[in-house]
C-alpha cells in the first residue's frame, strides 16, 4: 500500500496527476524512481487496469529495480515495466507476419553484425584493413537510429567511405531480411515503421497502453522519441521523468532537446519540478547549482538540500598526476580515521586513461579498490597484447607471448595453424618462433625480427609507437567506435608508463622496464573486496551515490575534455557531466588537479578547469599549503634532462648516479650504450639524462 505521508508536496502532486501529459523535472537525488513506482501503484489503486500501464526505462537494472519496488506497493500487478528494446522486441514478435518475417526470427548480436559487414566488404572487393568494419557498423547504426531516408543519406553521406557505408547498408539490409534476422537497432526502428505504416496496429497498442511512463526522458534519441510520440498520441497520458541537466550521452545519440521541447510536443502539459534533494548537503548542491547555471540551454531549477549545510568543497592542486593520487590516498586515510568506510568513497575521472596512474598509486599504497565499468589497467586485453609484443622482442622464444599475439590483430593465423606450429616445436625441441618457416606465420616472424632490430636504436616510448604501427594494432582500432577509441586511449596512456620510466631512470633497457611493471602489473595483487574504494569514469557514475567523492583531473583540456572546445554543444555537455559528478556526493566533495600531467605519453601543463572558477568562492576550501608551495613546484618542474645534448663517443668514460663509472660501447641517435661494473652490466640510457655525466 502507498504511504502518501512519505511524499513531499511536489512528489505527491506528480504521483496523483491523473490524465494528460505531465513532465516531471527530477533533479539529482529528488526521488524520481520513488515517484514513478508510486504513480503506477496510485493508478492501479484508483481503478486503472494494470495491463494498460507501460513503464519504459533504459537499462535492465533500472527496470528490475522499478519492478521490485512496484511489487512491494501492489503485489501481483501486471503493469508492463521494461526497456525500450524489450518493448520493441515484444511488438515485433506480436507482428512478425505484418513485418514480412517468420515468427522464429533471430536477433544478431554485435559480433554477428560485424562478421556480416566484413563478409559484405570482402564480397564487394574492399580491403577491411583500409576500410574499418567497425566504422561501417556505426554508420549503419546511425542511419537506423536517426531514421534517415534515402534522400537524407545521399545528402549527408558525402565522403568516399560514407558512400561505401551506404552501399554496404543496402546489401546488409537485404541479407538480414533474407536470413529472417534483426539487429539491436531494428528492435526500435521496426516498431516505429510499423506504427507509421499501419494505423490499425498503432491504435491497438494505443488502446492497450493508455498510460505511458518514461524514465530518463532526457536520454531519448530520435527513434525512441518517435516511438513514444506515436504510442501516446491518442490519449496523451504520457508521464515523462528526467532532468536536462543530467543529459550526458550525446555521443550515443541522446538528444536532451526532447525534454526541453516536451511542452511544445504535448499541448497543455503539466510541468512539475522536483527540487528537494535527499542525497547531498547544501554546500554540495550550491556548488552544483553554481556550475550548471552557466548552461544556457536548460530549464531553471535550484536543488534544495534536506541534509544540512555540510562541509565546504575542498580544492587541492597537486604537482603532478602521481602527487594528485597521493593527496587522494592521504585524505582517504584521514576519512577512515573519522569513521567513513572505503566502500563509501569514490574517485571519478573524465577518461579511462586517467585510471592507470590512480590504480598504480593505490596498489603501491596497499589501498583496496575496484574499477567500475573497466578492467584493471594491466589486465585489459589491449595492454596485455602490447606487453606480450614487448616480451617477444626481448625473448622471441617466449611461446606464451607468441601464442597470444601471433594473430593480433587478426592476420589469418587460426588455431589449427598455431596448434600445428606448437606440435612442430615439440617434435624438434625448439621454440615456436624457431619452428616458423613459411606462410603467414613467417610474415609475423619477420615482423618480430624487424622490431627486435628497431629496439636497438629506439627509446621505450618510441618502441611502443613502432609496435603499434608496424603490428597493425593502431590501424585496427578506428576512432569511430567508442570501444575502439577507449582501447586506443589505453594504449596511448601506456606511453605515459614508458615515458615516466625513462624520465625517472634514464634507462631504455627493455628487460628492466618489463621487470619494473611486473611488480605493479601482478594481477594477484588486485583482489576484489566488498569494502573497497571505487574508481570510475564520470559517465559510469550516473545514477550512483557515495558519501565522499573525489573529482580528479579538473583541468581545461581534460575536464572539460579538449574535444568539447570544438564540438557544437560540447562544453555544455561537459558542464552537465560535471553537475552529475558533483551531485553523486552526499557528505564530502574534493576537487583536484595537477600543475603538470603525463597523459598519453606527453607531459602537459594545464590550466585549472573553468568549472572550478564557476563555483562560488565561499563554497570552496582551498588547500593553500599545497597550491602555493613554490619550493615543491620547483622540484616538480625541474627539467629531468641536461640543458645541452652531450656528444658521446665510443670509449668515453662516464659517471652514473646509480651505476657508477662506465665506458661508452655504443652510440645510436639519442641512446648511449654503456658497460658498467659486472654488478650492473651493459645498460642503454637516454644520453641527455641528468643522471649521466661525461668524465
Amino acid at each position: 500500500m502507498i504511504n502518501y505521508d512519505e511524499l513531499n508536496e511536489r512528489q505527491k502532486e506528480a504521483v496523483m496527476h491523473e490524465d494528460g501529459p505531465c513532465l516531471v523535472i527530477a533533479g539529482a537525488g529528488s526521488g524520481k524512481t520513488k515517484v514513478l513506482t508510486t504513480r503506477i501503484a496510485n493508478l492501479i489503486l484508483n481503478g486503472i487496469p494494470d495491463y494498460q500501464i507501460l513503464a519504459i526505462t533504459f537499462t535492465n537494472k533500472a527496470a528490475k529495480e522499478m519492478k521490485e519496488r512496484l511489487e512491494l506497493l501492489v503485489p501481483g500487478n501486471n503493469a508492463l515495466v521494461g526497456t525500450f528494446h524489450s518493448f520493441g522486441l515484444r511488438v515485433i514478435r506480436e507482428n512478425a507476419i505484418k513485418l514480412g518475417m517468420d515468427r522464429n526470427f533471430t536477433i544478431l548480436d554485435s559480433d554477428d553484425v560485424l562478421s556480416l559487414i566484413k563478409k559484405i566488404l570482402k564480397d564487394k572487393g574492399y580491403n577491411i584493413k583500409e576500410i574499418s568494419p567497425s566504422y561501417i557498423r556505426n554508420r549503419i547504426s546511425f542511419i537506423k537510429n536517426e531514421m534517415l531516408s534515402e534522400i537524407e543519406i545521399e545528402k549527408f553521406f558525402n565522403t568516399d567511405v560514407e558512400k561505401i557505408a551506404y552501399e554496404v547498408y543496402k546489401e546488409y539490409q537485404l541479407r538480414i531480411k533474407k536470413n529472417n534476422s534483426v539487429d539491436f537497432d531494428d528492435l526500435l526502428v521496426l516498431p516505429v515503421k510499423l506504427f507509421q505504416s499501419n494505423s490499425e496496429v498503432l491504435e491497438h497498442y494505443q488502446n492497450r497502453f493508455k498510460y505511458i511512463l518514461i524514465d530518463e526522458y532526457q536520454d531519448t534519441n530520435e527513434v525512441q522519441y518517435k516511438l513514444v510520440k506515436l504510442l501516446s498520441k491518442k490519449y496523451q497520458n504520457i508521464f515523462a521523468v528526467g532532468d536536462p541537466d543530467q543529459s550526458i550521452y550525446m555521443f550515443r545519440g541522446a538528444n536532451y532537446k526532447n525534454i526541453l521541447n516536451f511542452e511544445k510536443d504535448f499541448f497543455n502539459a503539466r510541468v512539475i519540478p522536483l527540487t528537494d534533494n535527499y542525497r547531498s548537503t547544501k554546500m554540495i548542491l550550491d556548488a552544483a547549482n553554481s556550475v550548471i547555471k552557466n548552461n544556457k540551454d536548460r530549464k531553471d531549477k535550484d536543488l534544495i538540500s534536506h541534509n544540512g549545510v555540510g562541509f565546504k568543497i575542498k580544492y587541492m592542486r597537486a604537482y603532478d598526476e602521481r602527487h594528485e593520487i597521493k593527496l587522494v590516498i592521504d585524505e582517504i586515510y584521514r576519512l577512515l580515521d573519522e569513521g567513513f568506510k572505503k566502500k563509501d568513497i569514490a574517485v571519478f575521472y573524465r577518461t579511462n586513461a586517467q585510471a592507470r596512474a590512480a590504480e598504480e598509486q593505490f596498489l603501491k599504497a596497499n589501498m583496496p579498490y575496484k574499477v567500475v565499468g573497466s578492467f584493471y589497467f594491466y589486465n585489459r586485453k589491449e595492454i596485455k597484447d602490447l606487453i606480450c609484443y614487448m616480451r617477444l622482442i626481448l625473448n622471441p622464444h617466449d611461446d606464451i607471448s607468441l601464442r597470444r599475439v601471433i594473430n593480433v590483430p587478426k592476420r589469418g593465423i587460426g588455431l589449427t595453424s598455431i596448434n600445428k606450429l606448437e606440435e612442430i616445436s615439440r617434435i624438434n625441441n625448439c621454440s615456436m618462433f624457431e619452428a616458423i618457416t613459411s606462410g603467414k606465420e613467417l610474415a609475423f616472424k619477420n615482423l618480430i625480427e624487424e622490431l627486435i632490430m628497431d629496439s636497438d636504436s629506439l627509446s621505450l616510448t618510441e618502441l611502443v609507437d613502432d609496435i603499434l604501427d608496424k603490428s597493425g594494432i593502431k590501424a585496427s582500432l578506428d576512432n569511430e567506435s567508442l570501444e575502439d577509441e577507449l582501447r586506443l586511449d589505453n594504449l596511448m596512456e601506456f606511453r605515459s608508463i614508458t615515458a615516466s620510466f625513462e624520465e625517472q631512470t634514464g634507462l631504455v633497457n627493455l628487460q628492466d622496464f618489463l621487470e619494473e611493471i611486473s611488480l605493479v602489473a601482478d594481477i594477484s595483487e588486485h583482489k576484489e573486496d566488498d569494502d573497497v574504494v571505487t574508481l570510475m569514469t564520470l559517465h559510469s557514475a550516473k545514477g550512483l551515490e557515495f558519501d565522499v567523492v573525489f573529482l580528479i583531473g579538473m583541468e581545461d583540456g581534460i575536464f572539460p575534455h579538449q574535444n568539447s572546445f570544438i564540438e557544437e554543444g560540447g562544453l555544455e555537455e561537459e558542464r552537465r557531466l560535471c553537475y552529475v559528478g558533483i551531485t553523486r556526493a552526499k557528505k564530502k566533495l574534493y576537487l583536484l588537479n595537477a600543475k603538470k600531467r603525463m597523459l598519453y605519453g606527453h607531459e602537459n601543463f594545464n590550466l585549472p578547469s573553468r568549472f572550478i572558477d564557476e563555483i562560488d568562492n565561499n563554497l570552496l576550501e582551498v588547500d593553500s599549503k599545497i597550491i602555493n608551495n613554490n619550493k615543491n613546484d620547483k622540484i616538480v618542474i625541474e627539467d629531468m634532462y641536461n640543458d645541452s645534448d652531450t656528444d658521446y663517443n665510443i670509449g668515453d668514460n662516464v659517471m652514473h648516479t646509480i651505476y657508477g663509472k662506465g665506458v661508452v660501447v655504443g652510440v645510436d641517435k639519442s641512446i648511449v650504450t654503456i658497460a658498467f661494473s659486472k654488478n650492473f652490466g651493459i645498460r642503454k640510457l637516454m644520453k641527455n639524462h641528468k643522471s649521466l655525466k661525461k668524465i
Side-chain angles (χ1 to χ4, degrees):
M1 294 295 290
I2 302 172
N3 184 351
Y4 293 97
D5 292 335
E6 292 181 348
L7 304 170
N8 65 39
E9 288 306 309
R10 290 281 176 82
Q11 289 175 332
K12 195 179 295 184
E13 183 184 349
V15 164
M16 301 182 76
H17 171 77
E18 295 178 359
D19 294 345
C22 181
L23 173 64
V24 177
I25 304 293
S30 62
K32 71 177 179 64
T33 305
K34 184 178 185 178
V35 166
L36 278 164
T37 51
T38 311
R39 170 167 167 76
I40 296 171
N42 186 71
L43 288 171
I44 295 170
L45 295 174
N46 280 280
I48 303 299
D50 53 8
Y51 58 81
Q52 289 189 340
I53 300 170
L54 170 65
I56 302 180
T57 187
F58 279 81
T59 66
N60 289 315
K61 181 183 175 183
K64 183 173 180 287
E65 182 185 356
M66 206 181 295
K67 286 177 185 176
E68 289 171 351
R69 289 203 197 185
L70 184 58
E71 184 64 23
L72 293 174
L73 295 172
V74 190
N77 74 87
N78 289 307
L80 182 58
V81 180
T83 64
F84 273 101
H85 289 92
S86 66
F87 174 72
L89 176 58
R90 182 189 182 114
V91 172
I92 294 171
R93 289 213 183 279
E94 292 174 353
N95 297 275
I97 305 301
K98 292 184 178 69
L99 287 164
M101 300 159 57
D102 292 337
R103 293 186 189 277
N104 61 340
F105 65 88
T106 55
I107 302 172
L108 303 178
D109 63 24
S110 57
D111 287 340
D112 296 330
V113 169
L114 206 55
S115 296
L116 179 55
I117 288 170
K118 286 177 182 176
K119 190 170 190 323
I120 293 171
L121 283 169
K122 287 177 181 176
D123 290 348
K124 289 184 173 291
Y126 294 112
N127 186 343
I128 62 172
K129 290 184 178 179
E130 296 175 0
I131 299 169
S132 164
S134 296
Y135 173 81
I136 303 296
R137 178 184 61 187
N138 291 337
R139 291 287 85 190
I140 290 174
S141 184
F142 177 77
I143 290 170
K144 292 191 175 191
N145 280 296
E146 292 298 314
M147 297 195 73
L148 299 181
S149 65
E150 287 189 19
I151 294 173
E152 288 172 322
I153 297 170
E154 288 170 359
K155 179 180 178 182
F156 295 122
F157 281 43
N158 299 318
T159 66
D160 290 342
V161 70
E162 284 178 327
K163 288 174 182 176
I164 292 170
Y166 181 36
E167 181 186 348
V168 173
Y169 163 74
K170 288 186 285 188
E171 179 62 26
Y172 171 83
Q173 288 297 92
L174 289 173
R175 293 200 190 185
I176 63 171
K177 185 176 179 63
K178 180 183 176 183
N179 295 337
N180 195 40
S181 301
V182 296
D183 61 26
F184 210 58
D185 295 323
D186 288 329
L187 298 182
L188 299 176
V189 174
L190 291 178
V192 170
K193 288 185 174 179
L194 178 66
F195 292 163
Q196 288 174 333
S197 62
N198 193 319
S199 58
E200 189 178 319
V201 172
L202 173 59
E203 191 169 11
H204 165 76
Y205 284 97
Q206 289 173 335
N207 291 334
R208 170 73 190 278
F209 300 110
K210 292 183 179 179
Y211 292 84
I212 300 167
L213 300 91
I214 311 293
D215 188 19
E216 304 284 15
Y217 193 72
Q218 79 279 352
D219 291 334
T220 52
N221 62 16
E222 184 65 21
V223 66
Q224 290 160 341
Y225 169 71
K226 286 181 176 178
L227 181 64
V228 170
K229 280 199 73 177
L230 286 163
L231 273 175
S232 60
K233 187 175 182 180
K234 183 174 182 179
Y235 294 101
Q236 298 279 300
N237 292 326
I238 177 170
F239 186 85
V241 179
D243 182 3
D245 289 338
Q246 295 188 72
S247 177
I248 58 173
Y249 297 122
M250 190 164 65
F251 64 93
R252 292 182 189 167
N255 185 357
Y256 70 96
K257 292 191 176 179
N258 290 343
I259 194 169
L260 295 177
N261 293 332
F262 187 88
E263 292 162 84
K264 295 178 183 175
D265 294 331
F266 299 96
F267 184 65
N268 283 335
R270 187 177 189 176
V271 179
I272 304 172
L274 300 183
T275 55
D276 290 80
N277 178 284
Y278 297 93
R279 176 189 298 153
S280 308
T281 63
K282 184 177 187 301
M283 285 284 183
I284 292 169
L285 293 186
D286 286 351
N289 291 332
S290 64
V291 169
I292 200 64
K293 72 182 182 184
N294 291 280
N295 271 7
K296 296 176 182 176
D297 220 355
R298 63 185 291 264
K299 287 181 178 288
D300 285 335
K301 72 173 186 310
D302 274 344
L303 297 177
I304 302 164
S305 175
H306 284 255
N307 291 291
V309 176
F311 302 94
K312 286 189 174 185
I313 288 84
K314 195 165 186 178
Y315 170 39
M316 308 165 87
R317 185 155 168 78
Y319 317 135
D320 59 20
E321 73 279 3
R322 293 186 296 276
H323 183 226
E324 179 184 46
I325 304 303
K326 185 180 183 302
L327 291 176
V328 169
I329 292 170
D330 288 347
E331 198 65 30
I332 289 174
Y333 278 120
R334 278 192 283 273
L335 291 166
L336 296 177
D337 289 340
E338 291 176 19
F340 287 94
K341 295 186 181 300
K342 291 186 280 289
K343 65 182 179 182
D344 299 326
I345 301 170
V347 180
F348 297 158
Y349 35 82
R350 177 60 181 84
T351 66
N352 272 305
Q354 291 169 260
R356 193 271 311 167
E359 290 179 41
E360 212 166 74
Q361 295 301 314
F362 269 71
L363 275 174
K364 287 179 180 177
N366 200 27
M367 175 68 71
Y369 71 95
K370 65 178 178 182
V371 181
V372 173
S374 182
F375 290 106
Y376 174 64
F377 185 81
Y378 288 102
N379 202 29
R380 294 179 174 105
K381 179 188 180 300
E382 61 275 14
I383 299 302
K384 290 176 82 171
D385 290 342
L386 175 56
I387 291 173
C388 281
Y389 266 103
M390 298 180 89
R391 286 175 177 162
L392 265 184
I393 292 168
L394 178 66
N395 173 23
H397 308 305
D398 179 350
D399 286 353
I400 295 172
S401 293
L402 183 142
R403 190 178 178 94
R404 179 181 176 93
V405 298
I406 193 170
N407 199 38
V408 175
K410 290 184 178 177
R411 46 176 66 92
I413 303 174
L415 191 58
T416 303
S417 299
I418 296 171
N419 290 339
K420 184 179 178 182
L421 194 59
E422 202 167 36
E423 179 66 13
I424 294 170
S425 72
R426 188 187 63 78
I427 293 170
N428 294 316
N429 194 27
C430 64
S431 69
M432 291 174 69
F433 190 81
E434 290 172 308
I436 296 173
T437 57
S438 62
K440 294 173 182 174
E441 296 88 337
L442 184 57
F444 174 76
K445 183 176 184 177
N446 292 338
L447 165 67
I448 298 301
E449 288 176 338
E450 182 181 349
L451 291 171
I452 290 171
M453 290 179 63
D454 291 349
S455 68
D456 286 336
S457 59
L458 296 177
S459 70
L460 293 171
T461 306
E462 290 168 339
L463 180 60
V464 168
D465 290 335
D466 198 41
I467 294 168
L468 295 179
D469 287 335
K470 290 184 177 176
S471 69
I473 290 176
K474 191 173 183 179
S476 71
L477 299 173
D478 71 278
N479 289 328
E480 291 298 328
S481 160
L482 180 63
E483 182 183 352
D484 285 353
E485 190 176 333
L486 291 175
R487 289 188 172 186
L488 193 56
D489 264 3
N490 291 331
L491 289 168
M492 292 300 101
E493 178 55 16
F494 191 85
R495 299 172 80 255
S496 295
I497 301 173
T498 55
S500 293
F501 179 81
E502 290 167 340
E503 180 183 283
Q504 291 169 36
T505 66
L507 290 171
V508 292
N509 185 286
L510 188 54
Q511 184 170 1
D512 286 346
F513 172 71
L514 290 172
E515 286 175 359
E516 171 78 12
I517 64 170
S518 70
L519 298 177
V520 284
D522 184 0
I523 304 307
S524 65
E525 293 291 321
H526 183 70
K527 297 180 176 67
E528 288 294 335
D529 194 330
D530 287 333
D531 188 25
V532 297
V533 178
T534 301
L535 311 182
M536 63 169 67
T537 64
L538 282 151
H539 283 99
S540 300
K542 177 86 179 290
L544 302 177
E545 58 183 39
F546 297 89
D547 283 350
V548 182
V549 166
F550 292 86
L551 279 177
I552 64 172
M554 295 289 290
E555 300 151 30
D556 267 10
I558 294 178
F559 189 39
H561 194 278
Q562 59 186 9
N563 291 349
S564 69
F565 302 143
I566 56 174
E567 293 171 350
E568 185 180 353
L571 195 55
E572 292 217 348
E573 172 112 342
E574 291 289 292
R575 191 173 282 112
R576 292 193 293 271
L577 190 56
C578 183
Y579 175 84
V580 166
I582 291 173
T583 54
R584 300 310 94 193
K586 295 164 72 174
K587 297 177 181 177
K588 288 195 171 189
L589 175 66
Y590 295 81
L591 308 177
L592 295 96
N593 53 30
K595 294 183 178 180
K596 74 167 187 174
R597 180 179 302 275
M598 181 77 74
L599 196 64
Y600 307 127
H602 299 289
E603 191 171 84
N604 297 302
F605 294 86
N606 299 316
L607 292 171
S609 170
R610 63 193 65 197
F611 299 149
I612 295 173
D613 289 336
E614 292 173 357
I615 297 174
D616 295 338
N617 286 334
N618 63 332
L619 301 173
L620 290 174
E621 176 192 335
V622 180
D623 198 328
S624 57
K625 71 177 182 294
I626 295 174
I627 290 176
N628 298 320
N629 195 329
N630 293 325
K631 181 182 176 184
N632 284 320
D633 282 356
K634 188 176 180 181
I635 292 171
V636 171
I637 297 173
E638 180 186 8
D639 193 358
M640 297 298 294
Y641 299 97
N642 295 321
D643 292 333
S644 60
D645 191 359
T646 306
D647 186 23
Y648 287 96
N649 296 296
I650 293 174
D652 284 347
N653 292 311
V654 298
M655 177 65 75
H656 191 271
T657 54
I658 296 173
Y659 308 127
K661 288 183 179 179
V663 178
V664 175
V665 295
V667 181
D668 194 341
K669 298 178 183 175
S670 62
I671 295 167
V672 59
T673 305
I674 300 169
F676 293 101
S677 69
K678 63 180 180 181
N679 291 334
F680 299 109
I682 295 176
R683 303 269 171 164
K684 289 184 179 181
L685 293 104
M686 308 288 285
K687 68 179 183 180
N688 62 332
H689 196 268
K690 69 168 191 173
S691 63
L692 190 65
K693 301 286 184 186
K694 184 176 175 180
I695 58 175

